[in-house]
Amino acid sequence: MEFLKYIFYGIIQGLTEFIPVSSTAHLKIISLFFGIDDPGSSVSATIQIGSVFAIFWYFRKSISNFKNTNSRKPRDSFLFNKLNKSIFIGTIPIVFIGGIIKLFVPGFSDSFLRSNLSIALVSILMSLIMLFADISTKKSINLNNHKYPNSLYIGIAQAFAIVPGVSRSGATISMALLSGWNRKDAAKFSFLLGIPSISLAAFVEFFSAVNQFSAFPFLPLFAGLITAFFSSLLAINFLIKYVSSNGLKIFVYYRLIFGILILLNL
């Protein structure tokens, strides 16, 4: 049963980390629905490392090309440097806000913002924001022609994902679309921006909770991490292809229904 529980955590974590529905909210609510313990921040962070590895694996060719400076054309080098700066700028808000919360708000993980009511209300609010972003008409900005302020705006949106129910990918893709990005590059930049932020969050929580791991079953926890890796790969591939052609509407409807169902069962 322990193996099945942690594999379940891994599937939910992997599928919802990158699809714009909030992995934190789903781990908490779905575990409650099935009568399974809330995994908590320590287990969630460890399993989230599987999602971090999935990002690196999925974009391994792009990362390899970035490293190979001798074979890059001047245009490729310019884009590489621009993306590096954009990702750095976009990561500043979540590191700043996350650091403040970690240092000065020790009870954040047990606050109202992690309650079922908060998750329901935030999910409904995000469904409306995502709908508005999806129907916005200007879609001319891409990875090549974006400006650094675009990266900062998207980074500020990413910082709100600290609140369970927001969804990092939902917030960043929505802000990109509202800023005028095309759908495909909005999704790609969301994933690239997620590499440092998800990695930092996962490893900070992991090392903060390392003294608790003796209480966790190692092999089931490892099984959850591996499951999160493979389910994350599926989610990344699906989202890039789906959002490019179909937008966010299916996630808008899902998040609206998800929030209403939570409210009805409070």
Side-chain angles (χ1 to χ4, degrees):
M1 287 303 295
E2 283 293 298
F3 270 97
L4 290 177
K5 183 171 72 173
Y6 279 84
I7 287 172
F8 173 81
Y9 290 154
I11 292 172
I12 299 301
Q13 161 62 35
L15 292 179
T16 59
E17 178 65 49
F18 301 108
I19 292 176
V21 295
S22 178
S23 61
T24 307
H26 278 71
L27 276 171
K28 186 177 190 309
I29 298 299
I30 295 180
S31 296
L32 182 65
F33 178 79
F34 283 101
I36 302 173
D37 296 334
D38 180 351
S41 58
S42 302
V43 173
S44 298
T46 305
I47 293 175
Q48 191 177 33
I49 293 173
S51 296
V52 173
F53 289 146
I55 298 180
F56 281 105
W57 180 258
Y58 191 89
F59 290 102
R60 65 191 184 282
K61 290 183 179 178
S62 298
I63 295 170
S64 176
N65 289 337
F66 287 163
K67 289 180 179 177
N68 191 5
T69 55
N70 295 328
S71 65
R72 284 205 305 267
K73 298 176 182 177
R75 181 178 173 279
D76 294 332
S77 295
F78 172 77
L79 178 59
F80 168 67
N81 292 326
K82 185 176 184 179
L83 280 174
N84 267 347
K85 291 177 182 177
S86 293
I87 291 169
F88 175 77
I89 291 169
T91 303
I92 292 172
I94 197 167
V95 170
F96 178 72
I97 295 175
I100 289 176
I101 290 175
K102 191 72 177 174
L103 292 173
F104 301 110
V105 192
F108 180 78
S109 60
D110 298 316
S111 67
F112 168 76
L113 293 176
R114 276 189 62 88
S115 69
N116 293 351
L117 176 58
S118 176
I119 289 173
L121 295 176
V122 170
S123 293
I124 293 171
L125 176 61
M126 277 302 300
S127 72
L128 299 177
I129 293 173
M130 287 165 59
L131 176 62
F132 186 66
D134 196 56
I135 62 177
S136 59
T137 54
K138 186 181 177 183
K139 299 287 192 296
S140 58
I141 299 176
N142 55 46
L143 290 174
N144 294 297
N145 66 12
H146 75 279
K147 307 295 183 184
Y148 294 129
N150 298 140
S151 310
L152 180 61
Y153 302 150
I154 297 170
I156 292 171
Q158 177 175 246
F160 282 97
I162 291 172
V163 178
V166 169
S167 167
R168 192 201 65 82
S169 60
T172 52
I173 293 173
S174 293
M175 179 56 78
L177 294 176
L178 289 170
S179 301
W181 286 61
N182 68 56
R183 288 169 173 166
K184 185 174 182 179
D185 281 7
K188 281 187 176 180
F189 187 71
S190 172
F191 288 125
L192 292 171
L193 186 60
I195 291 176
S197 60
I198 296 174
S199 300
L200 283 170
F203 284 106
V204 165
E205 284 294 338
F206 177 82
F207 287 112
S208 296
V210 72
N211 61 333
Q212 302 176 28
F213 289 148
S214 59
F216 301 139
F218 175 76
L219 289 178
L221 190 61
F222 183 72
L225 192 151
I226 296 298
T227 308
F229 172 80
F230 286 107
S231 55
S232 292
L233 287 177
L234 292 174
I236 295 170
N237 188 56
F238 167 74
L239 188 65
I240 288 179
K241 292 180 179 178
Y242 184 87
V243 169
S244 301
S245 304
N246 303 283
L248 298 172
K249 286 188 178 63
I250 188 173
F251 306 112
V252 169
Y253 302 142
Y254 175 82
R255 300 205 64 174
L256 183 61
I257 294 169
F258 181 68
I260 292 172
L261 286 176
I262 297 173
L263 286 177
L264 292 176
N265 285 278
L266 288 176

